[in-house]
Amino acid sequence: MRKTISTFATGIMMVGLLTITGTEAVAAQPAPRAVPLAAQAQCVKVVRFYNKRFNRVVEVKNSCERKACFTVTVPARRDPQFAVGAKKKQSFQYGGIAWTKGTGVKNVAC
């Protein structure tokens, strides 16, 4: 009987904890902001992913007339953010060889 009651009480506490964390996560999200149309343009394109010694590297090309910012999408990791100048092709190191390979780039506002 005691084991059943303690299991039931533990379940109720876990559900309460999950609802509290879920509400805090929703409240902590920033309000969506308007992004100008120019910032939404897909300026940065991946040329290739490769390894250079002990680093993962992505080579990108900016096809816009302005500086563009982007993030490299890496599963299960925080996406590193970079900026590339106007009309340039440049390589960026985004992690060590033990990191998961990047899956692409996402254009973000600078």
Side-chain angles (χ1 to χ4, degrees):
M1 183 72 174
R2 287 183 193 176
K3 190 173 185 180
T4 306
I5 292 174
S6 69
T7 305
F8 182 73
T10 305
I12 291 175
M13 286 192 305
M14 294 298 284
V15 168
L17 183 64
L18 288 174
T19 56
I20 289 172
T21 5
T23 340
E24 289 175 356
V26 170
Q29 291 178 352
R33 59 180 193 173
V35 179
L37 290 175
Q40 292 177 353
Q42 299 296 314
C43 295
V44 180
K45 303 285 186 196
V46 175
V47 176
R48 67 183 175 139
F49 284 100
Y50 62 97
N51 296 333
K52 184 176 182 184
R53 293 192 50 116
F54 300 106
N55 297 309
R56 297 256 188 210
V57 182
V58 61
E59 186 175 352
V60 295
K61 181 181 179 184
N62 182 6
S63 58
C64 291
E65 296 288 335
R66 60 176 176 81
K67 179 176 97 171
C69 297
F70 66 97
T71 61
V72 179
T73 54
V74 182
R77 298 269 184 168
R78 183 169 180 239
D79 296 342
Q81 186 170 353
F82 303 102
V84 61
K87 297 283 186 183
K88 280 191 174 179
K89 185 176 178 183
Q90 193 172 353
S91 296
F92 296 93
Q93 295 178 1
Y94 65 90
I97 198 74
W99 276 41
T100 309
K101 185 178 177 182
T103 57
V105 296
K106 188 184 330 176
N107 291 273
V108 295
C110 292

